Amino acid sequence: MQTASRSTSRPIRRIAGTLLCTAALTFVTACGAGTTDSGAGSGSGGGAGDPHIRIAVGVDAGYAPFFVADAEGLWAKHGVDVDLVQFAKGGEGVDALNAGQVQMAGNSDVTTIGLLAQNPKLRSLLVYEQSGRYLKVVMRSGVKSPDKIRKMAVVPGLSELATTRFLESKGIKTDSVKFVTADPAEIPALTNKGDVDAYVLWEPWPSKGKELGERILESTGDYGFSYQHWLLSTSPWLKDHKSTAVKVAEALEEAAKKTESDPQAAAKATQDAAKIPTDQTVKAVKEIDFGVRDFTDKDLKGYDDTADFYVSTGKVKGRPDVAGTVQRGWLPENTKGS
């Protein structure tokens, strides 16, 4: 199937804040949970009759496989027409998924588990990346050691749990450190100003902090913490659109392999789509293990530990239904070669 040229495609959508259905009317025609409108794709294009969907992604190099699939025409190759919709935070993309403004999304396991209580229809289909090196601990200049930390900036979800595990690894009581919630892009500057002492975030924010004179102390893998990214949808949409989800999974699988084998191509695709400097993506490919796979027993144990974290902190009213969300076996049962 021929790939549509970049010159004829529409730009990838970027949503800076929480997406509401009324605001979304500027780029979608409906807000129903099963909506798959017929507008043009954001990059790869699709053949006549190919199902059209919107997929929520973030704006960092961790989403490189989606941008590669766009740039390389892999959506069209696998028979689906895709618009990628960018969000500043993964949780906002999940909110849009539940509202029906997108049909699929990429997001971290940790953040998604924290959202399950209010979003029981979420379904996780596969893992497409994992890493213990991409998130890093950054300390303000002048803070000599972790035991001197009094305030840490966090983003709810993955960042917050990574921060908690960091403090625990140093024998620091979490209630002795104040957590300051902020958007990722604000955190390096807040730290530089002295409003907080440290943070744990994904790239490019640790590197941004280093440019400001802050110190990268270690990666999360140094204290035994790693994350994964899931491909998400919802049970109502999947019921009627399984074949479309399979096409997305197959395209993403090919794109993840391309990201690993050709970091420069992944870097160009990510720069074109999300304005991420190419060196950041090349570095990210070294720090992240990209690859589509099914879930393992070890994964499920880790997800249960994450659910226990949310319950223990009182952040959720009931225990997240991880078992009902994670669709173990969906990938090998439905895709070729997985």
Side-chain angles (χ1 to χ4, degrees):
M1 187 175 293
Q2 214 169 19
T3 302
S5 68
R6 297 291 297 183
S7 61
T8 60
S9 62
R10 295 187 297 176
I12 291 173
R13 280 79 169 160
R14 178 173 294 186
I15 308 299
T18 302
L19 183 65
L20 300 177
C21 190
T22 52
L25 290 175
T26 60
F27 72 94
V28 300
T29 60
C31 290
T35 302
T36 53
D37 64 36
S38 58
S42 61
S44 65
D50 284 349
H52 178 85
I53 68 168
R54 297 178 297 277
I55 302 177
V57 297
V59 289
D60 66 82
Y63 291 88
F66 291 93
F67 304 134
V68 168
D70 227 41
E72 299 285 332
L74 300 182
W75 306 126
K77 176 181 176 181
H78 290 274
V80 63
D81 186 24
V82 170
D83 267 336
L84 298 179
V85 186
Q86 296 180 9
F87 292 84
K89 293 182 289 188
E92 293 172 348
V94 176
D95 289 340
L97 177 60
N98 279 285
Q101 295 153 3
V102 298
Q103 288 75 47
M104 304 188 83
N107 196 23
S108 78
D109 55 335
V110 175
T111 301
T112 303
I113 290 170
L115 298 170
L116 292 184
Q118 63 266 40
N119 302 302
K121 295 179 181 179
L122 284 174
R123 296 294 180 265
S124 173
L125 305 181
L126 54 87
V127 174
Y128 64 85
E129 74 174 63
Q130 58 190 28
S131 179
R133 305 181 300 279
Y134 193 51
L135 274 71
K136 302 176 182 72
V137 182
V138 182
M139 293 204 306
R140 177 171 56 84
S141 175
V143 180
K144 298 186 181 300
S145 61
D147 64 320
K148 304 298 182 184
I149 293 172
R150 297 294 175 263
K151 294 181 181 180
M152 292 192 73
V154 298
V155 179
L158 177 58
S159 166
E160 187 173 4
L161 179 54
T163 299
T164 300
R165 297 294 185 243
F166 165 69
L167 294 173
E168 291 172 348
S169 74
K170 304 302 180 186
I172 300 171
K173 294 182 178 180
T174 55
D175 59 6
S176 70
V177 177
K178 181 179 180 181
F179 285 8
V180 179
T181 301
D183 286 334
E186 302 172 338
I187 290 176
L190 290 174
T191 307
N192 188 52
K193 287 164 53 181
D195 291 344
V196 296
D197 299 317
Y199 57 91
V200 185
L201 275 183
W202 48 89
E203 291 289 357
W205 310 117
S207 294
K208 295 291 186 184
K210 188 176 181 180
E211 291 172 4
L212 295 173
E214 297 155 15
R215 178 161 60 104
I216 297 178
L217 183 66
E218 58 188 274
S219 66
T220 60
D222 292 325
Y223 55 90
F225 181 84
S226 62
Y227 78 93
Q228 299 171 0
H229 264 205
W230 291 347
L231 178 65
L232 300 167
S233 191
T234 62
S235 54
W237 186 82
L238 281 170
K239 181 180 178 182
D240 297 322
H241 302 88
K242 184 175 77 170
S243 63
T244 301
V246 170
K247 292 172 183 178
V248 170
E250 291 177 339
L252 191 61
E253 183 173 27
E254 187 172 349
K257 291 178 180 177
K258 176 73 173 182
T259 300
E260 282 285 328
S261 65
D262 193 347
Q264 291 294 339
K268 184 180 186 306
T270 304
Q271 182 183 49
D272 291 345
K275 312 307 178 188
I276 303 296
T278 56
D279 61 329
Q280 289 183 16
T281 301
V282 171
K283 181 180 179 182
V285 174
K286 294 178 181 178
E287 296 178 337
I288 299 172
D289 297 320
F290 291 102
V292 166
R293 65 171 178 81
D294 195 16
F295 307 97
T296 66
D297 289 339
K298 183 178 179 181
D299 292 334
L300 297 176
K301 173 62 167 62
Y303 305 155
D304 282 338
D305 290 345
T306 299
D308 290 341
F309 162 76
Y310 284 111
V311 172
S312 68
T313 58
K315 294 182 179 298
V316 297
K317 293 182 179 179
R319 195 177 192 283
D321 182 15
V322 177
T325 298
V326 174
Q327 304 298 289
R328 188 176 185 181
W330 184 92
L331 182 69
E333 289 170 6
N334 291 288
T335 62
K336 295 173 288 186
S338 295

